[in-house]
């Protein structure tokens, strides 16, 4: 097989890899489904609460049959039904700092698909501390964003959002865009974990479905970043930049 | 001078009435452009400080954390209001 495919070696690397996906709703659901179907060896899901009817416009791992029951366990069961060779772990709540750190420490990548910036920035911190890649998938209405980051060699999420943006309790979602962003997050993770393909390191992908526009934007690292600038010295930055 | 403005992300529907181009004195800073944009938005609505700033496709930080930015005629300014979703 030539370029443009997931090689056999790459598939074996996937089999030996672990991915931690926090929130498995509109974006994390499709992302974890694609990781499972691709054969990532261990997929760790974190999502609290019960499935409710309004979730079903985007949460592809759920169905009418699972309403009013915990999301994480039923989503994990569904993923196991899709690929018996994958180990799926379910965390039925939002991990706190210590738990997120422990989960990141035994993962090879973190996919952040959470509704709050507080949780996204926490996941960014633990990925940076564990020195593993971090993918941030987000959406609003028909707009999606994706960032593929590795603190120490690219900007981290705290560089991009030095001030925590305000929380929005209710937000519009078109499932088609959240699924698209989630699938693209999985694609980037598969490339990272398999070593196949060119990863969009350090870039922001904007996918504006409403205005039919897409763009890749290289993200600027903040030398004063409260997260990554305190974890990595300049020597490490320079060394790692050569790897990207 | 005229610059092209594009706003994306959360609540960008608030900018429906905003024209693609805005007029500014020459020279102008990013802050003056944002002040003009905020004037054109519905009453009580403003861009959040965590909006990402792109000028000509280059990321310059966020509205509340960026190096000084001077604007020139014909510049393309993109502001992305942060999205999270879930």
């Amino acid at each position: 097989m030539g370029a443009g495919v997931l090689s056999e070696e790459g598939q074996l690397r996937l089999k030996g890899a672990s991915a931690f996906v926090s929130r498995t709703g509109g974006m994390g659901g499709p992302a974890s489904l694609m990781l499972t179907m691709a054969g990532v060896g261990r997929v760790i899901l974190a999502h609290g609460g019960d499935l409710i009817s309004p979730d079903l416009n985007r949460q592809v791992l759920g169905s009418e049959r699972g309403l009013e029951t915990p999301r994480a366990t039923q989503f994990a069961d569904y993923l196991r039904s899709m690929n018996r060779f994958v180990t799926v772990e379910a965390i039925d709540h939002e991990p706190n700092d210590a738990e997120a750190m422990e989960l990141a420490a035994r993962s090879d990548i973190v996919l952040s698909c959470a509704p709050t910036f507080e949780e996204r920035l926490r996941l960014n911190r633990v990925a940076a501390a564990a020195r593993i890649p971090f993918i941030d998938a987000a959406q609003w209405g028909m707009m999606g964003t994706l960032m593929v980051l590795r603190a120490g060699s690219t900007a981290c999420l705290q560089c991009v959002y030095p001030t925590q943006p305000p929380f929005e309790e209710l937000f519009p979602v078109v499932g088609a865009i959240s699924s698209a962003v989630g699938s693209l997050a999985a694609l980037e993770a598969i490339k990272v974990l398999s070593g196949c393909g060119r990863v969009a390191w350090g870039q922001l992908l904007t996918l504006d479905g409403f205005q039919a526009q897409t763009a890749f934007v290289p993200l600027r690292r903040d030398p004063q970043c409260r997260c990554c600038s305190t974890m990595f010295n300049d020597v490490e930055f320079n060394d790692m930049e050569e790897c990207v | 001078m005229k610059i092209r403005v594009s706003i994306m992300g959360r609540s960008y529907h608030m900018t429906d009435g905003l024209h693609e181009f805005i007029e500014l004195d020459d020279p102008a800073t990013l802050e003056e452009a944002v002040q003009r944009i905020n004037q054109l938005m519905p009453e009580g609505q403003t861009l959040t400080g965590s909006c990402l700033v792109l000028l000509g496709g280059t990321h310059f930080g966020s509205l509340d954390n960026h190096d000084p930015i001077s604007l020139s005629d014909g510049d393309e300014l993109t502001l992305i209001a942060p999205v999270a979703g879930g």
Side-chain angles (χ1 to χ4, degrees):
Chain A
M1 293 280 191
V5 299
L6 184 55
S7 65
E8 187 175 344
E9 293 82 1
Q11 291 177 52
L12 288 170
R13 287 190 205 105
L14 284 185
K15 189 176 180 182
S18 296
F20 169 31
V21 185
S22 190
R23 304 306 184 102
T24 47
M27 292 160 299
S32 55
L33 179 59
M34 291 304 120
L35 294 175
T36 300
M37 293 169 75
V40 172
R42 180 180 298 270
V43 176
I44 305 169
L45 314 178
H47 202 136
D50 292 349
L51 185 67
I52 57 174
S53 188
D55 294 342
L56 293 178
N57 71 336
R58 64 194 186 281
Q59 297 199 4
V60 299
L61 302 184
S63 73
E64 296 279 358
R65 286 192 299 276
L67 291 177
E68 314 306 330
T69 60
R71 293 186 184 94
T73 47
Q74 62 175 298
F75 290 179
D77 284 343
Y78 177 67
L79 292 179
R80 291 182 194 111
S81 77
M82 297 301 291
N83 191 340
R84 66 186 184 282
F85 299 107
V86 173
T87 300
V88 181
E89 287 183 39
I91 312 293
D92 64 0
H93 53 272
E94 177 186 339
N96 60 21
D97 283 7
E99 193 172 14
M101 187 71 81
E102 184 271 325
L103 292 167
R106 57 188 182 89
S107 300
D108 299 296
I109 194 166
V110 173
L111 279 74
S112 154
C113 306
T116 71
F117 281 98
E118 180 184 8
E119 185 175 350
R120 287 172 187 273
L121 291 168
R122 175 189 301 134
L123 294 166
N124 173 68
R125 283 195 303 275
V126 300
R131 302 190 177 223
I132 59 174
F134 172 84
I135 296 181
D136 187 78
Q139 63 75 223
W140 192 96
M142 293 190 198
M143 160 93 187
T145 62
L146 184 70
M147 297 183 223
V148 187
L149 308 174
R150 185 167 58 180
S153 59
T154 73
C156 78
L157 194 66
Q158 189 88 53
C159 294
V160 179
Y161 297 122
T163 306
Q164 184 175 304
F167 174 55
E168 191 176 38
E169 179 75 39
L170 294 173
F171 50 87
V173 185
V174 175
I177 197 77
S178 55
S179 288
V181 175
S183 293
L184 290 171
L187 177 64
E188 291 302 312
I190 287 166
K191 288 190 290 181
V192 170
L193 297 173
S194 69
C196 300
R198 177 179 291 181
V199 178
W201 288 120
Q203 298 200 57
L204 161 70
L205 167 64
T206 59
L207 192 58
D208 187 337
F210 190 80
Q211 302 187 70
Q213 293 178 349
T214 61
F216 275 102
V217 179
L219 290 165
R220 162 186 170 271
R221 188 169 70 82
D222 180 358
Q224 308 301 321
C225 176
R226 293 197 311 277
C227 177
C228 67
S229 72
T230 60
M231 290 185 191
F232 300 88
N233 60 36
D234 288 341
V235 174
E236 283 178 292
F237 269 113
N238 292 335
D239 288 347
M240 294 181 76
E241 276 165 3
E242 292 174 6
C243 303
V244 176
Chain B
M1 69 175 185
K2 277 186 184 176
I3 65 165
R4 184 192 295 266
V5 175
S6 174
I7 297 180
M8 298 181 174
R10 180 161 77 186
S11 302
Y12 63 75
H13 60 286
M14 290 190 312
T15 64
D16 274 353
L18 191 67
H19 295 298
E20 187 177 1
F21 291 90
I22 61 170
E23 297 226 18
L24 298 166
D25 291 337
D26 192 359
T29 63
L30 174 65
E31 283 68 27
E32 288 164 335
V34 170
Q35 189 176 32
R36 181 76 187 114
I37 293 166
N38 282 334
Q39 287 170 351
L40 296 168
M41 290 175 67
E43 194 173 341
Q45 303 285 355
T46 57
L47 295 165
T48 173
S50 44
C51 279
L52 305 189
V53 178
L54 313 183
L55 188 61
T58 299
H59 176 222
F60 278 83
S62 57
L63 285 180
D64 57 10
N65 183 45
H66 62 83
D67 293 331
I69 298 174
S70 298
L71 300 172
S72 304
D73 189 49
D75 274 349
E76 294 190 14
L77 175 65
T78 304
L79 301 170
I80 305 176
V83 297

